[in-house]
Amino acid sequence: MAKKPQIAADTRPWRDPSAKPFVRISNVTKKFGDVYAVADVSLDIYKGELFCLLGGSGSGKSTLLRMLAGFEEPTSGKIEIDGQDMTGVAPYNRPVNMMFQSYALFPHMNVEQNIAYGLKRDHLPKAEIADRVAELLSLVKLQDYGKRRPDQLSGGQRQRVALARSLAKRPKLLLLDEPLGALDKKLREETQFELVKIQETLGVTFIVVTHDQEEAMSLATRIGVMNYGEIAMIGEPTDIYEFPNSKFVAGFIGSVNMVEGVVTEDEADHVRIRSAELGCDIFVGHGVDCAPDQILWWAIRPEKIALSRERPEGDANITKGVVEDIGYLGDMSVYQIRLDSGKHLRVTQTNTIRGNPDAITWDEPVYCTWHDNAGSVLTV
Amino acid sequence: MSSFDIDNPAPRRHRPWTAVERAFAAVGLSGRALVIAAPAAWLTLLFLIPLAVVFGISLATKQFGKPPYSDLLTTGDGTVQLTLHLSNYVRLFTDSLYVAAYLNSIKIAFISTIFALLIGYPMAYFIARSSDRWRNILLMLVILPFWTSFLLRVYALTGFMRGNGVINQFLEFIGFQHVINGYNAVLGWAGWQMPSLPFVMMQTDFAVYVGIVYTYLPFMILPLFTNLVKLDGALLEASADLGGRPMRTFFSITLPLSMPGVVAGSMLVFIPAIGEFVIPSLLGGPETLMIGRVLWDEFFTNTNWPRAAAVAIAMLVVVVVPIMLLQKAQDAVQDTARTK
């Protein structure tokens, strides 16, 4: 599902400390009454990026987006877009367009009028508006639907009209609030790739708000994970998934097995953690910023654990359990392994052999093993 | 024991209405028919039959006695004779009084509706946009005047508008006469002399406009409010996002989407205002000619019931026909929108 490397995704300007950000959010806080919707968020977004703000409901991601669009003013902090301070700039004066979660199509106008609305506000000549509308309709593959009203369109068609309308003014920055939220699963997957394609063709910077981590993983050049109004982690999808910086991020993205442990060896090139929950020692093949006897957490993804009937070689990273449950998903199976401590491990195995008669089955005692850098050591 | 005990089901409840329903069904009346029949009977008894009676009277002629109009059906020589007099209707067109009264009623109702709309729309908009806590209080304030008698409210307006009423006293208190003098000295030469205080407001058309707008304003505000409160805020944000300034957003988005409310509110003000009798009688002058007053005079002063009935039927036509045309136009617009 990795995105074709191109433009911003290819050059990765966020890795270059001298690169100039296109959107700069500095120490932005938004309070509603006594509640902090967004708390001291600082974030740089670069030109041509497809940045995903990911978080649960109430995490402040939509409020942050609305502040970028100008519908809310920050309580404190500053937002700069293309080097321009946006404080006090009304929504209709910002070089930004937004695609609304509800699409917010004007029900009394047809598709063409909806798309042309923003262009008319710029007082473009009629012929140019007509050209631009036709161009956008073909971009979103709705050439024959120009005269229809929004209530005569399907959900997917409305979504594309909303996208075309928000792109009509050729904004430097497009904000998308749950752009695929109202679509069914199959349509969502198709549209996802179409969205990325359009973004790459036009080179517009996208900021997408979503609560769907799968959507964020497949769309984004970078993801900002939000929790209680704060940014929990910013990084490329692989960083977020494979190298989470906290228990929250590890648990929020994908499924994870998390255990508590105590550091017994703390060397420059490796760490050994004793975990009573896991019933074995964890050997981590790289140095970790911790101290001996420190209590910390270790997280591992289900697909990083291997199952075997025979005990593998080694004195660490091996634990024993019993298969309690198997969920067969077709492409893979999810095993619930009950360890001696009572802790459950979630392990996934790809079903590479058709109807495997030798597959590990219910109530079998099994060994779980993993590579010495398969898990993440988390201190917060 | 759970409530879903299969072996010991709960005893069947006695349902008396089932028996009633069966009894009606036996004579061919379903529940559905009964539900429809109740309002139909009500309308027939209290609307259609009286209307037919009025229409009948309008085709008779005035005579002395009880009742003060001629019978439509007369018997004699073994025949039944039906006599329909159209003279009352002919008179409505030939006597300029009636035509003038109809036109003036429509004019007053129309102008009042425009003012009610201009005043009521911002109020409805404000109420719809205010927070939940304030919204109910403000709506209450709109409805509250209904709790006092209509007659009292109209009569109270005279206290404001008469020669030594509240308005004139206030203008005198703030020294408005100086403003008038100054205006007349500077701009009055063009023949637009302003009258001096106290202003004459009572017994004028102005007072009638004030009265109608004031008493019918809630009928404008409430349908507009119910429409505007449903307006999706995201549409306004979308308009702003696409570069629409607040005024442009209002005329391109808010106003077109609130047209059903505008039409409903305007109808609720316009229709009763045409036949208004109390307000022009209490606030208007002798020259304020409105059809309600003509009707009253025909009925009570001239005791000409047939003529009064003809005036009433003609008014019904004047009011109903435009509504039907409007509805037809609306349906046509909706149909074309759907088939496009």
Side-chain angles (χ1 to χ4, degrees), chain A residues 274-341:
Chain A
R274 177 171 301 140
S275 171
E277 258 185 304
L278 207 55
C280 72
D281 277 3
I282 303 162
F283 182 85
V284 180
H286 55 81
V288 175
D289 185 15
C290 62
D293 298 328
Q294 187 183 342
I295 294 175
L296 39 62
W297 295 270
W298 178 79
I300 187 164
R301 302 287 179 190
E303 73 278 5
K304 304 276 191 294
I305 303 177
L307 296 179
S308 62
R309 291 195 175 98
E310 310 296 320
R311 190 179 200 284
E313 294 290 302
D315 64 336
N317 295 355
I318 301 164
T319 187
K320 197 163 156 271
V322 177
V323 177
E324 197 172 76
D325 203 359
I326 305 173
Y328 177 72
L329 301 180
D331 54 346
M332 61 179 192
S333 294
V334 181
Y335 290 80
Q336 288 286 348
I337 314 286
R338 188 164 49 81
L339 303 180
D340 295 339
S341 66

Side-chain angles (χ1 to χ4, degrees), chain B:
Chain B
M1 189 189 285
S2 79
S3 55
F4 295 103
D5 190 339
I6 294 167
D7 297 325
N8 304 303
R12 276 187 73 141
R13 275 199 307 142
H14 177 59
R15 286 185 286 191
W17 283 108
T18 314
V20 174
E21 202 183 312
R22 285 214 190 93
F24 274 111
V27 292
L29 278 173
S30 65
R32 185 182 143 82
L34 282 170
V35 167
I36 298 169
W42 174 273
L43 282 173
T44 311
L45 209 65
L46 297 173
F47 178 68
L48 282 179
I49 293 175
L51 186 69
V53 170
V54 171
F55 186 61
I57 295 173
S58 76
L59 295 168
T61 53
K62 179 186 175 180
Q63 68 175 32
F64 293 101
K66 270 186 184 176
Y69 54 88
S70 62
D71 291 328
L72 292 185
L73 291 171
T74 45
T75 48
D77 300 336
T79 57
V80 179
Q81 207 179 356
L82 175 67
T83 324
L84 298 179
H85 299 271
L86 293 173
S87 56
N88 293 313
Y89 289 98
V90 175
R91 190 65 193 273
L92 292 186
F93 291 100
T94 51
D95 192 332
S96 63
L97 169 83
Y98 299 105
V99 178
Y102 278 120
L103 289 180
N104 205 42
S105 294
I106 290 172
K107 184 190 115 189
I108 288 179
F110 183 76
I111 294 175
S112 305
T113 306
I114 298 291
F115 275 102
L117 184 62
L118 290 178
I119 298 168
Y121 200 106
M123 289 171 79
Y125 190 86
F126 181 77
I127 297 171
R129 293 277 128 201
S130 48
S131 68
D132 288 346
R133 205 164 57 88
W134 279 102
R135 191 180 292 160
N136 287 333
I137 296 171
L138 292 169
L139 273 180
M140 202 62 208
L141 289 176
V142 170
I143 300 165
L144 209 61
F146 282 123
W147 293 6
T148 27
S149 145
F150 171 73
L151 208 60
L152 264 179
R153 273 182 289 142
V154 176
Y155 205 71
L157 281 175
T158 61
F160 278 85
M161 292 191 286
R162 64 170 185 249
N164 59 350
V166 176
I167 294 172
N168 274 318
Q169 283 190 2
F170 174 74
L171 289 177
E172 257 160 56
F173 174 74
I174 63 167
F176 195 69
Q177 184 63 52
H178 299 298
V179 179
I180 296 171
N181 292 343
Y183 171 87
N184 285 343
V186 178
L187 293 161
W189 52 270
W192 294 337
Q193 287 278 341
M194 259 176 98
S196 30
L197 288 175
F199 286 140
V200 178
M201 286 178 280
M202 285 304 297
Q203 272 78 49
T204 64
D205 281 3
F206 172 78
V208 175
Y209 288 128
V210 171
I212 292 177
V213 170
Y214 165 67
T215 48
Y216 287 105
L217 199 56
F219 295 108
M220 182 63 87
I221 292 175
L222 293 177
L224 275 172
F225 164 77
T226 42
N227 179 286
L228 286 169
V229 81
K230 283 184 295 189
L231 186 71
D232 183 3
L235 295 179
L236 306 182
E237 286 182 351
S239 172
D241 186 66
L242 293 164
R245 284 159 188 283
M247 280 303 264
R248 165 54 57 193
T249 299
F250 176 78
F251 285 109
S252 292
I253 311 295
T254 311
L255 191 59
L257 287 176
S258 65
M259 273 328 268
V262 171
V263 171
S266 300
M267 284 293 160
L268 284 179
V269 174
F270 182 74
I271 294 165
I274 289 183
E276 184 54 56
F277 166 72
V278 175
I279 294 170
S281 302
L282 285 179
L283 303 177
E287 77 281 5
T288 309
L289 197 59
M290 283 190 78
I291 206 66
R293 294 176 87 182
V294 172
L295 196 86
W296 173 279
D297 286 344
E298 292 292 357
F299 198 87
F300 290 101
T301 316
N302 302 341
T303 351
N304 193 340
W305 288 24
R307 179 78 49 78
V311 170
I313 295 291
M315 188 165 86
L316 196 70
V317 173
V318 167
V319 174
V320 167
V321 168
I323 297 174
M324 281 168 61
L325 287 177
L326 189 84
Q327 213 136 45
K328 217 165 191 176
Q330 267 186 333
D331 286 350
V333 168
Q334 272 171 358
D335 280 347
T336 50
R338 223 171 273 135
T339 49
K340 244 183 207 166

Side-chain angles (χ1 to χ4, degrees), chain A residues 66 69 71 91-93 96-98 100 102 104-109 114 117-118 121 147 149 152 165-166 169, chain B residues 232-246 248-250 252-254 256-257 336-340:
Chain A
R66 290 173 59 78
F71 302 135
Y92 46 82
N93 284 331
V96 170
N97 282 126
M98 178 151 163
F100 290 80
S102 61
L105 297 177
F106 305 129
H108 58 302
M109 298 182 190
N114 263 288
Y117 187 84
R121 301 292 80 81
K147 295 279 183 263
R149 279 169 191 270
Q152 297 165 316
R165 188 180 70 176
S166 58
K169 297 183 77 167
Chain B
D232 183 3
L235 295 179
L236 306 182
E237 286 182 351
S239 172
D241 186 66
L242 293 164
R245 284 159 188 283
R248 165 54 57 193
T249 299
F250 176 78
S252 292
I253 311 295
T254 311
L257 287 176
T336 50
R338 223 171 273 135
T339 49
K340 244 183 207 166

